[in-house]
């Protein structure tokens, strides 16, 4: 015959053991070994309702895939409606100045990027990179773009984000991004080997940036790292991690 | 019962996998290569050793003291599950590759009958003290690791051989397991 007191003892005994073990586990989880990947902090940014709409086994599954570089945080269909930061600036997605990416021949024609792009695929070795002939400099009404050392550079404090330079670039390198964000200064889709031979600052898709991103905001597409501005906190960890100085945190001085 | 005899008994004569046929799931599941087998073995030794000590204490001072012996399975599973969680967290942070290689077999230690078996045998043996229980747990884990490593070596060699189609995969694995098990019967006369 089991009395009420017996049941109570049983509940307290097993519950007590469970509670003690639980406390021990959570203590061990924090103290024993520091985390080396950011799956947990990425999971915190996801909705956490495990709906499975992304195609992974719950939010942790997606976070693991993001941390491993096989998915991007935009794969989560529920996170899409966040308010974007409204202040933007123009940004040139290329860092191929003359000392990192020497030209394949000397161009002596009209000072226009459109004209230069027509001859032999452009005088730069990289078919994606900035030609440095200053079409965007001419297009900019605020004088915010300077072309020196074979590459255009934008002074984001002068930029009004009018978007005129976007159309002036024959290679579509200029885009509008948030004034306080982190971006990849490369647009090349070549593989790592080719990229390294033609430009020392090109993205080789090594995924080092993905590994250090706490928010899972980085993704590789066509041999090129992509930073999702919606989730980037501009902490600068990827800028430090990038071995080729390809990633930069705005504003660029 | 002296401690060396407890050790020999748990590790060889009454080997949990090959003589008592407990914990066969990870035995077949993670014995495909030596490195994974070693990681699994280390995890099992840790869980078996620690759980033997904790379950023995809990049984003595909580379950027996308050007449709750009938709760031993649920209490032991609770303890084993927590230890497995701890091991899982550690392995996940030390070696992501090992964590992926062990896959579902790591959390499955929770429901591994060999681990629960050690804990239950510890409290069933009349003359066991806490020290006996600890030695029994660690040597049972060592026996499990030994079986796993031997079997992993055999399976690594087996891959390269021309095996008749009907026996490829699981059938030949089970036959090999049976043969090792018979070999372990030879330890029977030691004690």
């Amino acid at each position: 015959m089991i009395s009420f007191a017996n049941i109570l003892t049983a509940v307290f005994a097993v519950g007590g053991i469970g509670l003690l073990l639980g406390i021990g586990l959570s203590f061990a989880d924090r103290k024993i070994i520091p985390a080396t990947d950011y799956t947990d902090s990425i999971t915190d940014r996801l909705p956490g309702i495990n709906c499975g709409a992304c195609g992974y086994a719950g939010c942790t599954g997606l976070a693991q895939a993001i941390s491993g570089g096989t998915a991007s945080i935009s794969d989560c269909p529920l996170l899409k409606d966040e308010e974007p930061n409204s202040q933007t600036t123009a940004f040139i997605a290329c860092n191929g100045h003359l000392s990192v990416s020497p030209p394949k021949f000397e161009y002596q024609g009209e000072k226009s990027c459109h004209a230069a792009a027509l001859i032999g695929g452009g005088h730069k070795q990289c078919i994606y990179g900035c030609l440095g002939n200053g079409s965007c400099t001419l297009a900019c009404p605020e004088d915010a773009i300077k072309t020196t050392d074979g590459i255009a550079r934008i002074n984001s404090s002068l930029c009004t984000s009018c978007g005129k330079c976007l159309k002036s670039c024959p290679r579509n390198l200029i885009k509008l991004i948030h004034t306080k964000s982190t971006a990849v200064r490369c647009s090349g889709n070549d593989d790592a080997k080719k990229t390294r031979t033609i430009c020392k600052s090109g993205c080789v898709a090594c995924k080092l940036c993905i590994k250090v991103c706490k928010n899972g905001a980085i993704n590789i597409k066509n041999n090129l790292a992509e930073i999702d501005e919606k989730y980037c906190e501009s902490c600068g960890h990827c800028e430090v991690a990038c071995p080729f100085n390809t990633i930069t945190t705005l504003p660029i001085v | 019962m002296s401690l060396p005899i407890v050790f020999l008994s748990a590790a060889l004569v009454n080997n949990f996998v090959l003589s008592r046929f407990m914990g066969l799931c990870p035995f077949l599941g993670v014995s495909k290569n030596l490195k994974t087998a070693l990681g699994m073995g280390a995890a099992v030794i840790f869980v078996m050793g620690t759980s033997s000590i904790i379950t023995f204490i809990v049984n003595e001072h909580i379950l027996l003291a308050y007449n709750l012996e009938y709760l031993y399975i649920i209490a032991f599973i609770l303890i084993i599950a927590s230890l497995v969680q701890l091991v899982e967290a550690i392995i996940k942070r030390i070696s992501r590759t090992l964590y992926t290689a062990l896959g579902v077999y790591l959390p499955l230690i929770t429901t591994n009958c060999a681990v629960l078996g050690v804990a239950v045998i510890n409290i069933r043996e009349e003359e066991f003290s806490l020290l006996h229980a600890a030695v029994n747990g660690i040597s049972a884990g060592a026996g499990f690791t030994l079986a796993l490593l031997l079997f992993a070596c055999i399976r690594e060699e087996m891959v390269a051989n021309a095996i008749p189609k009907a026996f490829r995969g699981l059938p030949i694995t089970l036959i090999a397991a049976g043969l090792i098990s018979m070999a372990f019967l030879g330890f029977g006369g030691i004690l």
Side-chain angles (χ1 to χ4, degrees), chain B residues 108-153:
Chain B
L108 270 183
I109 304 179
T110 313
T111 48
N112 189 325
C113 63
V115 182
L116 185 63
V118 178
V120 173
I121 286 169
N122 284 337
I123 62 162
R124 290 275 163 85
E125 289 277 350
E126 300 272 315
E127 45 194 308
F128 265 29
S129 68
L130 180 60
L131 190 61
H132 281 100
V135 171
N136 192 33
I138 293 168
S139 26
F144 179 89
T145 312
L146 177 70
L148 205 58
L149 290 181
L150 285 176
F151 202 47
C153 293

Side-chain angles (χ1 to χ4, degrees), chain A residues 2 6 9-10 13-14 17-18 21 25 28-30 32-37 39-40 64, chain B residues 54 58 62-63 66 68 70-71 74-75 78-79 82 85-86 89-90 92-94 96 99:
Chain A
I2 292 176
N6 285 136
T9 345
V14 177
I17 297 171
L21 292 169
L25 266 185
D29 193 50
R30 276 177 217 174
I32 292 181
I33 309 159
T36 47
D37 68 330
T39 313
D40 291 341
Q64 276 164 1
Chain B
I54 301 179
V58 164
I62 298 178
L63 299 185
Y66 294 99
L68 299 169
Y70 61 93
L71 283 176
I74 197 167
L78 195 62
I79 292 160
S82 320
Q85 282 286 307
L86 183 66
I90 293 173
K92 194 171 168 184
R93 288 171 192 186
I94 292 177
R96 193 94 200 173
Y99 179 74

Side-chain angles (χ1 to χ4, degrees), chain B residues 3 11 17 19 22-23 28 46 49-50 57 73 82 110 126 133 138 162 181:
Chain B
L3 292 175
V17 181
S19 300
M22 287 179 177
L28 296 174
F46 175 78
T50 330
I57 296 172
I73 290 184
S82 320
T110 313
E126 300 272 315
I138 293 168
S181 173

